Amino acid sequence: ARDISESHNLLKALRQSEIELQQERRLLEQRVIERTNELARASAHLEQTQFAMDGAGIAVHWVDAENGRLVLANHHAARMLGYSDEELLALSVADIDPNFPPGSFREATEGYRRQKVARFDTVNRHRNGLLIPVTVTLYFVPANSKDHARFICFIVDISARKKAELAMQQATQAAEEAPQAKSAFLANMSHEIRTPMNAIIGISHLIRRDLSTPYQIKQIDKVTGAAHHLLGIINDILDFSKIEAGK
């Protein structure tokens, strides 16, 4: 009777253990399903975010904050620099941005760690060697129990903006130089014409003193009068150039 009782108790304990094990298994399966769903939702959200960033022309880099290696990037980031997705993820920040020298990434980004958020202009090197001007918006994410510290960077190609700024600078410079050149030309022209006109007036005055007939004097007076009139016009031109020069 004792053996039967012990066997019965042992069997009951085994059944109870099996029930508890099944419960633990179902609970574990439920947790796996929930975690899988969470990852699926996170993955779908990430894909949607990447799709939006691709459509908006924004490159996204996830960068290891310790060594500068790229751990994640969207499709636009690879296309912008002429790489495939896999090729881009084999690179580091130092490979694509000459302003970040290799071997000292942590030291070079220490300020960004303290700032948490930063925005700056720099350049990215295309696969063909061409330097592309870009604006970077950077977020520092500290390390946690699952991931290393990282930078999340949003990068926009500003080549068109830089070209527009250069064109504006050139247009502004040309607009500023044009009146100055015109004023200088008018002043030089007025000076070069006024000098011989003064000589004509002076010589006409000397000739008039030696003339004896009224007809000759009348004629020379016409020359002198015309010379004075022309000199007045020349002086007006010179005054106009001074006005444009702000004098």
Side-chain angles (χ1 to χ4, degrees), residues 51-224:
F51 178 79
M53 292 297 181
D54 286 339
I58 300 175
V60 182
H61 292 173
W62 287 36
V63 179
D64 190 308
E66 295 298 323
N67 55 31
R69 301 291 300 183
L70 273 69
V71 296
L72 186 66
N74 66 336
H75 302 312
H76 181 76
R79 291 197 303 269
M80 189 175 81
L81 299 181
Y83 294 99
S84 67
D85 293 356
E86 295 76 15
E87 290 171 335
L88 184 62
L89 293 181
L91 304 177
S92 67
V93 172
D95 295 320
I96 61 177
D97 191 330
N99 293 316
F100 288 89
S104 58
F105 182 79
R106 198 185 196 291
E107 293 79 1
T109 57
E110 191 61 39
Y112 299 138
R113 291 170 176 267
R114 294 192 297 268
Q115 291 177 248
K116 305 296 184 182
V117 180
R119 182 182 176 89
F120 55 90
D121 289 351
T122 183
V123 293
N124 279 181
R125 184 184 291 109
H126 192 276
R127 186 173 189 171
N128 62 13
L130 178 68
L131 293 179
I132 302 172
V134 297
T135 291
V136 177
T137 303
L138 173 150
Y139 297 87
F140 175 65
V141 181
N144 54 43
S145 59
K146 298 179 181 179
D147 299 303
H148 295 151
R150 60 195 182 278
F151 291 107
I152 300 177
C153 308
F154 299 93
I155 304 165
V156 178
D157 184 344
I158 57 172
S159 298
R161 192 190 83 188
K162 288 295 185 181
K163 289 180 180 178
E165 289 176 353
L166 179 59
M168 180 64 71
Q169 291 174 358
Q170 293 174 341
T172 301
Q173 183 178 359
E176 291 174 349
E177 291 176 351
Q180 296 174 0
K182 184 172 68 174
S183 297
F185 169 75
L186 290 173
N188 291 333
M189 182 184 70
S190 299
H191 173 74
E192 293 298 329
I193 297 176
R194 187 172 58 178
T195 299
M197 286 308 302
N198 284 327
I200 292 172
I201 292 171
I203 294 173
S204 296
H205 179 70
L206 293 175
I207 293 174
R208 190 181 189 283
R209 291 190 306 178
D210 296 332
L211 296 178
S212 57
T213 66
Y215 176 77
Q216 291 175 328
I217 294 173
K218 182 179 179 181
Q219 293 300 103
I220 200 65
D221 285 345
K222 289 182 179 180
V223 173
T224 304

Side-chain angles (χ1 to χ4, degrees), residues 231-242:
L231 183 60
I233 295 176
I234 294 169
N235 287 334
D236 288 341
I237 294 175
L238 180 58
D239 290 340
F240 182 73
S241 69
K242 288 181 178 180

Side-chain angles (χ1 to χ4, degrees), residues 34-50:
E34 290 175 356
R35 181 56 178 164
T36 301
N37 290 337
E38 289 177 3
L39 291 174
R41 287 193 296 269
S43 178
H45 180 69
L46 180 59
E47 289 180 359
Q48 292 173 0
T49 302
Q50 286 190 341

